[in-house]
Amino acid sequence: GLALYSDAWQMRREAIETREQKQSLLMELQRDARRPYQLMELLELSIKEVVAHLPNTAGAVFLANRSRRQFVLAASAGLTREELARLEYYPMERSLVGQAVESSEPLISGRFEFVDRDGRLMSSRFASCVVLPLVSEMEHIGAMMLVSTEPEAFDRNDIVYLAPVAGWLGERIRVARATREISTEQALVQKLRARQQDMWSRLTAASVALGSADVLREFCRALVGLAECGSVHLVGVVAGELRFLGDSEPLTDIGENYRTALVNALDRHKPLIINQEATSDSGRSYVATSTLVYPVGEQRSPAALLIRREGGAIEVGEDDLKALGMFARLAYLGIERDQTVRQALSR
């Protein structure tokens, strides 16, 4: 009776110690959650906390990449460099981690085996494994895997107290992704607002320039800064010769090759970018001047709007081309008004 009584108290003491150990793990994770850690840093701390409370255990946290059908290693603890290299990109198909994520249920397995890029199994030093999926609502985010060198090191009791940890990590990852997406959308909205405000101010300045004495020069000055350009010019072919009709600043030292490229661009009557390259002292070539040629008016009287940028290539998107089309129509009105004024003065 005394022996049975002593054994019962010993089992009770071990159960209490195990419960206190699990409770300390949850308390430490809860304390870490209040600190302003980055997501990857929080995953690293969480897996280290879990592994520290389990003897002879290593662990890893995977994030699912659905497009490539593989897991990306996000955090780890207790693994060697060679094991980390094998787990860096872990396939979803024919793997224990993939089965747990697809079923959204924790899985306990015996000996853990690596899977190479060709799908072949490779033995490891771990004799037991448990996988806890990271799921938030219907989104399969990834999995937390724990492996041990001891056989049958994990049971259902471990899943009971580790499942909330996996659920909490899944929610934190989902919240972090949602926060990042919201920040990206907010930055995009602010950028679009600033772009609209800038476009409205340029459109107003260009419209005002149509009523000024020097129409084409004021119009070109109103467009400086569009698409990060440093100067704006209006060119046309008059009596078979390339002429600058108006500019924000005088353009000097124009080479014959550049003139030929402009004439060819005017003949095509399509938006075209002309890059002039130079060579640095180290022998490396770079774009010294980039010019966007946008046609103005009809093809029978070729003219174009030149957007020039020094020290880099011009990059324009669909919205930029639409805005340039609007300014090109205003430029055509400016050219018509300038010609009307010149004819009136001549008469």
Side-chain angles (χ1 to χ4, degrees):
L2 290 175
L4 292 175
Y5 183 77
S6 177
D7 290 343
W9 270 107
Q10 182 65 25
M11 293 175 62
R12 178 64 175 169
R13 187 179 297 108
E14 292 177 356
I16 292 175
E17 290 178 355
T18 303
R19 185 172 182 179
E20 290 179 350
Q21 185 179 10
K22 296 175 181 179
Q23 185 178 5
S24 65
L25 167 63
L26 298 178
M27 290 178 65
E28 290 176 2
L29 289 176
Q30 188 177 14
R31 185 189 65 244
D32 293 337
R34 297 193 183 98
R35 300 177 182 177
Y37 290 123
Q38 296 293 332
L39 177 60
M40 292 303 173
E41 188 178 4
L42 181 62
L43 293 179
E44 195 78 25
L45 288 173
S46 301
I47 192 65
K48 287 181 179 179
E49 290 285 354
V50 173
V51 169
H53 289 75
L54 299 173
N56 302 323
T57 302
V61 177
F62 297 97
L63 298 180
N65 188 340
R66 292 286 178 178
S67 60
R68 297 187 178 182
R69 299 295 301 170
Q70 65 182 11
F71 292 103
V72 179
L73 183 64
S76 63
L79 297 172
T80 63
R81 183 177 300 179
E82 183 180 356
E83 292 168 347
L84 289 176
R86 293 179 179 178
L87 293 176
E88 186 176 0
Y89 297 101
Y90 200 68
M92 287 187 179
E93 289 81 6
R94 293 180 295 176
S95 66
L96 184 66
V97 181
Q99 295 176 14
V101 172
E102 293 297 334
S103 63
S104 301
E105 294 291 337
L107 293 180
I108 298 177
S109 175
R111 180 167 294 279
F112 175 76
E113 294 179 330
F114 296 104
V115 181
D116 61 8
R117 296 181 182 272
D118 297 329
R120 294 173 297 186
L121 298 178
M122 304 175 64
S123 61
S124 68
R125 60 188 176 96
F126 302 110
S128 56
C129 172
V130 61
V131 181
L132 300 161
L134 306 180
V135 180
S136 179
E137 295 183 357
M138 298 299 294
E139 183 179 358
H140 299 273
I141 298 174
M144 180 174 67
M145 182 186 69
L146 299 175
V147 288
S148 177
T149 55
E150 299 180 358
E152 299 181 359
F154 306 104
D155 54 18
R156 287 294 168 183
N157 293 326
D158 296 318
I159 292 180
V160 169
Y161 84 93
L162 288 177
V165 177
W168 168 73
L169 286 177
E171 292 295 334
R172 287 301 299 265
I173 295 172
R174 184 167 178 264
V175 169
R177 288 179 176 178
T179 303
R180 185 169 59 249
E181 291 176 359
I182 291 173
S183 301
T184 303
E185 293 297 328
Q186 288 177 347
L188 180 60
V189 169
Q190 292 177 359
K191 184 178 180 180
L192 289 176
R193 287 179 179 175
R195 181 185 181 85
Q196 290 178 354
Q197 183 66 28
D198 179 71
M199 195 63 62
W200 176 255
S201 61
R202 293 187 187 281
L203 181 60
T204 303
S207 301
V208 172
L210 295 179
S212 62
D214 196 347
V215 179
L216 300 183
R217 175 167 294 182
E218 294 298 327
F219 179 83
C220 292
R221 287 178 177 177
L223 299 188
V224 174
L226 185 66
E228 299 181 356
C229 68
S231 62
V232 178
H233 310 268
L234 277 169
V235 297
V237 177
V238 180
E241 182 182 355
L242 181 68
R243 292 184 183 179
F244 282 83
L245 307 177
D247 46 27
S248 60
E249 61 183 38
L251 190 61
T252 58
D253 299 333
I254 301 176
E256 192 63 30
N257 293 334
Y258 186 66
R259 285 182 176 272
T260 304
L262 290 179
V263 171
N264 293 334
L266 289 172
D267 290 338
R268 294 184 182 182
H269 202 71
K270 293 181 179 180
L272 183 66
I273 294 179
I274 301 174
N275 290 328
Q276 295 174 276
E277 295 185 351
T279 305
S280 62
D281 297 336
S282 59
R284 184 177 181 180
S285 61
Y286 66 96
V287 177
T289 306
S290 182
T291 306
L292 171 61
V293 183
Y294 198 94
V296 173
E298 301 177 356
Q299 191 170 4
R300 62 186 180 185
S301 57
L305 190 65
L306 303 185
I307 308 294
R308 286 172 55 89
R309 180 186 177 188
E310 304 287 343
I314 289 181
E315 296 180 0
V316 291
E318 185 177 356
D319 295 336
D320 297 319
L321 292 177
K322 290 180 180 179
L324 285 172
M326 178 179 58
F327 287 120
R329 289 190 289 271
L330 288 176
Y332 180 71
L333 294 177
I335 293 174
E336 291 289 328
R337 184 180 182 278
D338 183 69
Q339 290 179 356
T340 302
V341 171
R342 289 179 183 274
Q343 289 177 0
L345 290 174
S346 299
R347 290 171 183 171

